[in-house]
Amino acid sequence: MDARTQGPSVFVTGLLLLLHGPLPVVSKGSAAAVQPDALTSTQGTLPHFIQEPEDAYIVKSNPIKLRCRAAPALQIFFKCNGEWVHQSEHFSHEYKDLNTGLKVREVMINVTRQQVEDFHGPEDYWCLCVAWSHLGTSKSRKATVRIAYLRKNFEQDPQGMEVPINGMIVLHCRPPEGVPVAEVEWQKNEEAVGSETDDNIDTRADHNLIVNKARLSDSGNYTCLASNIVAKRRSAPATIIVFVNGGWSQWTEWSPCNVPCGRGIQKRSRTCTNPAPLNGGAFCEGMSVQKITCNALCPVDGGWDEWSEWTGCSSQCERQRSRECNSPPPRHRGKMCDGSSEATETCMDGLCTQSRDSTNDLALYSGLGAGIVTVAILVVAVMLYRKNNSEYGVDVINSSTLTGGFQSLNFKNNRQGNPLLLNSSMPPDLTTGRAYSAPLCIQDSADKALFDPLPDIKLQSSFMVSLGMAEQAEFHAKPPSKAFSQDPGQVYCGSMDNRKNGLLKLNSHLNICKERETATCLLDSAGGRLVVPNTGVSMLVPHGAVAENNSWEMYMVINQGETSIGTLDGFEILLGPEVTYGPPGLDLCSPVAITIAHCAEMDDDNWNIQLRRRTQDSKWEEVMSTEEECTSCYCLMDSACCHLLVDQPGSYALVGEPLTQAALKRLKLAVFGNLEPANMTYSLRVYCVDDTPHAFQGVVMAEKTRGGQLLEEPKMLPFQANTFNLQVSIQDVPQFLWSIKPFTTCQEFSFAQVWSSNQRPLHCAFSLERYSPATNQLSCKISVRQVKGHEQILQVYAAVGETVKDYVPFFMQSDCTITSQTGSKAFKIPVSIHQRICDTFDTANAKGKDWQLLAQKLHIDGNLGYFTKQQSPSAVILSLWEARHQDTADLDSLASALEEIGKVHSKFSPQKHDESESDFCQRARSLQRTLSDQEMEDAALE
């Protein structure tokens, strides 16, 4: 019989005690007996409990102890789960309370884990105490005994989030199941946080943590801790990033007008520092720089009034007169009048008493001396003038040349050996300098070109072809839309009869007959590159831009003719070819990178450059300005190319508007020549074309059909928006070997023709006739200059009798016929390295080690708000890098940027690196080493 089944016998024993008197009771482990007077002090009182058993938890395998104390009590026994506990399992102790004099009995039992686990009932394992006295029994409260535990997994882990500053942060936590129920506390970066230490934080009974107003200091890793008497559990950390969206500062004051006189610009700026974007916050939207036009008052120099009447002759034989500097008075920093405001001369009348004879002699000698001096000055001036103009081999016969003035400009003509140039081995004139003091060309009527050559007189004239334009354009004037309409006879690829007769319209636009310039390719998710050869136009489709299991037949076309952008407003010009890519309805996951060559000499103070796109109704709309922030597309201007990031197929054009007369566009100059069928006439053709590969490609194709030869390396001429014309003249023609018709040695393009050529070539021709068939050499100079601007000299050395086999232009000698590349061949960065870079820099980081740092190191500084809208900013930045470096297969710049990023962050925290910091630096260095290895492999393969 076990302890639990012996309960009735114990109860009987208790009754016997009550009926027959006290029996000696001995505590377990003690021989002391109850004194005979024990019952007398307890009679008349029911037992009451001084200590009742309490709820308890069994931890692991350790038993728990339940205690009871009652007074007065003859016996105390435990009853568990409705059954009496055997007397042998009780531990009793009796003592006398000194305050009340009552006997106090204390009983204790042990409850093991096995006992609790073996119990199977509708409720928890429980025990209570029963105490006896002479008057009856008393029962204590029930005490439950449970096995304590705490599971490992949280029912809900807190989740990380990005919160704007002053926003509310709510972190939810549901601790693991446990007995007793686990208590929850919070830690931030391993330090306890709670409402006890921070009034801004509220930790509620539902275990959630609430930050009422997020501060920058609230960023960190938050952990939920759950614990009870068994164990402690930690949740997964939740990273909280408190970000700050950028805000604009106040506008600065308007800058002074950037020109001292005339039309200029004023600027003001603001910065995205109020506050600056932090921890991945959004960049400011809108313009960081504003520009307005201004008109600075030009200085007005003072002018003299008319002289006053002479005063009467004084006794000293003098009279005076005066004048004022008021016609006009000097204004706006203008100069004062030169000379004296008063004049005095001798006189003989009036009050003068001197001899008139001596005065007459004096006047005679004075006049004679003045005449001699005047004649000497005239002789010296004429000699100097003839000497200065003799080097042009012409006599200037127009008085207007005495009033002109040009800037002194020096140019060096460095001629390198070119197998395409005729007689390239002949020693050239390496230094050609000109200091102009008068115009090179004299305006004259066009019918003078019909005169026969005069044998001993060398003449120079300007041949003006305005094509409907005014001879001198005003800077604020709007060019007529039909200024450059072409006559069918002016088409360069005209009839064979015209070519045989050597006929060529002068000072005209060149219409090129050539095939449609296009590139097409079937592209899938591997991406690729489309290139229109020899035009400076290409398009990069990034890896992953086309969705998986999908493909598109993509194309890129250079628009010409009727598809052109057409007439532009004011002084706006087309800076590069118009490009269309498609097909319509193209749906890509990331933007494409389009590269277009341009002819602008980049200077933000002098140019307003816009990107325009054709709408569905064939109108052109402005997409963005290079000075403005834009989130729909991106434009990066290099010195010779423009790189666009766009995601909508269509037609795009780069349009420039000069803000000041200092704006420059680049012209490419080239001279071609060939011997005409008559075999005595040699034709020189000079081309002035916008300095883009596409524009010059048209010239080369036209000359190839004509049989012309490139006589000099093409050169660049800066053309200024100052409204002055462009003059082309031929110089230093051997007089005894070659003849050229008079009035054709200098020809001229109007400013509007050159400025608004819009990628169409301009050309003029010089026909030289040799006196003898034995003459087989031609050497001369072609001067191309803008009035009050820059000049360039083309040195011509031609072997007239030689024929050159099919030639290829110098910039087409390389393999430039590939129009498309697909997959990994189209990219400098391998796909695996590309993905690692994106994984490293796309992740937002509180310390700023993200894609913004990558953009900074790759010199991509403006309009960063565009990249924040992209799914993978790093991938778009790398696409832009690929487009900028497509002509140089060099990964060093990217590897150096990654190496610099790793060094910078190692320097900032040389001793203490948290786990993310160390991982970032290691990954940056690993990428740098991988790129360097890739560069070495590519070099070895080449």
Side-chain angles (χ1 to χ4, degrees), residues 545-811:
V546 179
E548 290 287 344
N549 303 321
N550 201 356
S551 62
W552 288 92
E553 181 75 26
M554 298 184 65
Y555 63 82
M556 184 170 56
V557 180
I558 296 181
N559 301 340
Q560 300 179 83
E562 295 180 356
T563 62
S564 171
I565 193 171
T567 304
L568 297 171
D569 295 334
F571 271 68
E572 292 180 342
I573 62 173
L574 195 62
L575 298 179
E578 302 165 20
V579 177
T580 299
Y581 87 93
L586 179 66
D587 185 15
L588 298 178
C589 302
S590 60
V592 300
I594 299 178
T595 298
I596 304 175
H598 67 80
C599 61
E601 196 71 21
M602 288 306 302
D603 188 340
D604 293 340
D605 292 336
N606 296 326
W607 281 102
N608 176 29
I609 297 179
Q610 300 174 355
L611 178 65
R612 296 187 183 178
R613 178 173 56 210
R614 185 194 296 270
T615 60
Q616 293 182 353
D617 54 356
S618 297
K619 295 182 180 180
W620 288 84
E621 64 177 0
E622 179 184 346
V623 179
M624 68 170 295
S625 172
T626 56
E627 290 293 314
E628 299 176 356
E629 300 284 335
C630 180
T631 57
S632 61
C633 61
Y634 188 89
C635 180
L636 178 63
M637 297 294 295
D638 285 340
S639 59
C641 291
C642 166
H643 306 285
L644 306 176
L645 293 174
V646 294
D647 53 11
Q648 295 185 21
S651 299
Y652 292 87
L654 199 65
V655 176
E657 178 188 13
L659 298 176
T660 69
Q661 295 189 16
L664 294 171
K665 82 166 185 174
R666 301 187 308 274
L667 297 179
K668 179 168 285 190
L669 310 176
V671 56
F672 290 80
N674 69 292
L675 192 62
E676 295 294 337
N679 206 31
M680 295 295 288
T681 302
Y682 194 83
S683 177
L684 292 177
R685 292 174 296 281
V686 182
Y687 293 88
C688 303
V689 60
D690 291 347
D691 188 14
T692 62
H694 166 258
F696 192 63
Q697 171 76 356
V699 173
V700 172
M701 298 303 295
E703 281 296 326
K704 188 174 182 180
T705 61
R706 185 180 178 88
Q709 306 299 330
L710 182 66
L711 303 180
E712 168 69 309
E713 290 281 7
K715 295 185 177 180
M716 192 275 289
L717 175 71
F719 190 76
Q720 192 171 348
N722 59 5
T723 73
F724 287 96
N725 297 345
L726 185 73
Q727 297 175 342
V728 182
S729 61
I730 185 170
Q731 304 169 9
D732 297 346
V733 177
Q735 299 286 326
F736 301 101
L737 300 177
W738 296 87
S739 66
I740 183 172
K741 289 184 179 182
F743 314 113
T744 61
T745 57
C746 183
Q747 302 177 31
E748 190 163 335
F749 297 106
S750 69
F751 169 80
Q753 281 181 281
V754 181
W755 186 255
S756 302
S757 60
N758 290 337
Q759 304 291 301
R760 293 176 295 176
L762 296 170
H763 74 288
C764 63
F766 300 95
S767 294
L768 294 90
E769 185 175 356
R770 54 182 175 176
Y771 291 115
S772 171
T775 302
N776 58 5
Q777 297 286 339
L778 173 62
S779 64
C780 61
K781 296 177 182 178
I782 303 293
S783 170
V784 184
R785 64 183 294 272
Q786 184 184 18
V787 178
K788 294 189 178 180
H790 297 83
E791 182 197 30
Q792 191 62 270
I793 299 294
L794 299 172
Q795 184 72 54
V796 175
Y797 292 101
V800 178
E802 295 183 5
T803 59
V804 180
K805 295 182 179 180
D806 294 340
Y807 79 97
V808 181
F810 62 93
F811 63 89

Side-chain angles (χ1 to χ4, degrees), residues 69-306:
R69 281 189 295 172
L74 297 177
Q75 286 293 343
I76 300 177
F77 289 97
F78 272 92
K79 192 176 186 179
C80 294
N81 302 320
E83 296 182 358
W84 295 101
V85 180
H86 194 274
Q87 183 177 3
S88 63
E89 297 182 15
H90 289 71
F91 297 89
S92 300
H93 174 64
E94 190 178 61
Y95 61 91
K96 184 176 182 179
D97 189 343
L98 299 179
N99 295 324
T100 61
L102 297 177
K103 296 286 186 175
V104 177
R105 180 172 293 275
E106 180 178 355
V107 178
M108 178 189 72
I109 64 172
N110 290 329
V111 179
T112 65
R113 182 186 184 97
Q114 187 65 39
Q115 291 173 339
V116 177
E117 290 177 348
D118 291 342
F119 173 71
H120 301 285
E123 54 185 354
D124 293 331
Y125 189 101
W126 58 269
C127 293
L128 58 80
C129 294
V130 179
W132 282 270
S133 70
H134 287 286
L135 295 182
T137 62
S138 296
K139 293 182 180 180
S140 69
R141 63 176 295 274
K142 284 184 178 181
T144 60
V145 179
R146 304 175 67 186
I147 298 175
Y149 67 93
L150 183 63
R151 301 193 184 279
K152 292 184 178 181
N153 297 326
F154 278 73
E155 295 184 4
Q156 181 179 5
D157 284 309
Q159 301 296 318
M161 63 181 68
E162 296 182 2
V163 183
I165 194 167
N166 295 326
M168 178 178 287
I169 302 173
V170 179
L171 293 176
H172 299 279
C173 176
R174 292 175 61 189
E177 179 186 352
V179 174
V181 176
E183 296 181 355
V184 172
E185 60 181 8
W186 287 89
Q187 287 186 347
K188 184 188 82 172
N189 298 335
E190 307 299 330
E191 295 183 0
V193 292
S195 54
E196 300 81 5
T197 58
D198 192 341
D199 294 337
N200 193 38
I201 295 178
D202 184 9
T203 50
R204 300 192 173 184
D206 56 2
H207 310 310
N208 295 337
L209 181 141
I210 299 176
V211 180
N212 296 313
K213 288 188 177 181
R215 303 155 296 190
L216 289 176
S217 59
D218 292 323
S219 297
N221 294 321
Y222 286 78
T223 307
C224 179
L225 295 180
S227 62
N228 62 8
I229 60 177
V230 179
K232 285 187 177 181
R233 307 290 186 217
R234 295 174 62 90
S235 69
T239 300
I240 300 298
I241 297 177
V242 180
F243 63 86
V244 179
N245 291 325
W248 288 115
S249 65
Q250 295 294 323
W251 288 103
T252 61
E253 297 294 331
W254 288 104
S255 65
C257 200
N258 68 332
V259 294
C261 172
R263 184 172 180 260
I265 62 170
Q266 288 179 281
K267 296 192 299 184
R268 67 174 182 175
S269 61
R270 56 181 178 175
T271 57
C272 190
T273 56
N274 187 32
L278 189 63
N279 296 342
F283 278 76
C284 304
E285 294 185 359
M287 296 186 300
S288 61
V289 177
Q290 281 187 344
K291 295 182 180 180
I292 58 173
T293 58
C294 57
N295 288 288
L297 297 176
C298 296
V300 178
D301 296 339
W304 290 113
D305 293 337
E306 295 293 333

Side-chain angles (χ1 to χ4, degrees), residues 368-386:
L368 182 59
I372 294 173
V373 171
T374 302
V375 171
I377 291 175
L378 287 175
V379 171
V380 171
V382 171
M383 293 178 65
L384 291 176
Y385 179 77
R386 291 178 63 86

Side-chain angles (χ1 to χ4, degrees), residues 345-601:
E345 69 174 12
T346 58
C347 56
M348 295 299 159
D349 56 354
L351 301 178
C352 179
T353 58
Q354 297 184 9
S355 172
R356 296 181 183 271
D357 294 337
S358 62
T359 302
N360 291 336
D361 292 340
L362 178 61
L364 176 62
Y365 291 132
S366 299
L368 182 59
I372 294 173
V373 171
T374 302
V375 171
I377 291 175
L378 287 175
V379 171
V380 171
V382 171
M383 293 178 65
L384 291 176
Y385 179 77
R386 291 178 63 86
K387 180 179 180 181
N388 288 337
N389 287 273
S390 63
E391 60 180 345
Y392 298 106
V394 296
D395 291 331
V396 181
I397 57 173
N398 193 317
S399 61
S400 64
T401 60
L402 299 176
T403 62
F406 301 105
Q407 302 173 2
S408 295
L409 302 169
N410 293 321
F411 297 87
K412 276 201 171 184
N413 180 9
N414 295 325
R415 183 187 182 90
Q416 300 177 356
N418 189 329
L420 304 175
L421 302 179
L422 296 181
N423 286 357
S424 62
S425 61
M426 297 183 62
D429 181 8
L430 296 178
T431 305
T432 303
R434 290 289 181 266
Y436 297 105
S437 58
L440 285 177
C441 305
I442 308 170
Q443 295 185 4
D444 203 349
S445 60
D447 58 353
K448 289 185 179 181
L450 303 176
F451 293 170
D452 294 331
L454 301 179
D456 295 326
I457 301 178
K458 293 169 283 184
L459 298 175
Q460 186 179 35
S461 171
S462 73
F463 189 81
M464 297 290 294
V465 179
S466 62
L467 298 179
M469 298 298 298
E471 293 184 359
Q472 177 66 37
E474 292 294 334
F475 187 77
H476 299 284
K478 179 178 180 180
S481 61
K482 298 183 180 180
F484 309 123
S485 60
Q486 294 291 317
D487 187 87
Q490 291 179 306
V491 178
Y492 189 87
C493 48
S495 65
M496 183 62 69
D497 294 336
N498 285 344
R499 297 197 339 221
K500 289 182 179 179
N501 296 331
L503 298 178
L504 183 65
K505 293 292 182 178
L506 302 181
N507 302 58
S508 61
H509 288 282
L510 180 64
N511 290 339
I512 304 301
C513 291
K514 57 181 177 179
E515 297 180 358
R516 181 181 178 91
E517 294 172 311
T518 183
T520 61
C521 184
L522 181 65
L523 296 177
D524 56 18
S525 60
R529 189 190 302 268
L530 296 178
V531 179
V532 181
N534 308 313
T535 61
V537 176
S538 64
M539 179 173 69
L540 181 77
V541 181
H543 175 82
V546 179
E548 290 287 344
N549 303 321
N550 201 356
S551 62
W552 288 92
E553 181 75 26
M554 298 184 65
Y555 63 82
M556 184 170 56
V557 180
I558 296 181
N559 301 340
Q560 300 179 83
E562 295 180 356
T563 62
S564 171
I565 193 171
T567 304
L568 297 171
D569 295 334
F571 271 68
E572 292 180 342
I573 62 173
L574 195 62
L575 298 179
E578 302 165 20
V579 177
T580 299
Y581 87 93
L586 179 66
D587 185 15
L588 298 178
C589 302
S590 60
V592 300
I594 299 178
T595 298
I596 304 175
H598 67 80
C599 61
E601 196 71 21

Side-chain angles (χ1 to χ4, degrees), residues 809-821:
F810 62 93
F811 63 89
M812 294 178 63
Q813 293 177 358
S814 61
D815 181 13
C816 53
T817 59
I818 299 176
T819 60
S820 65
Q821 290 178 315

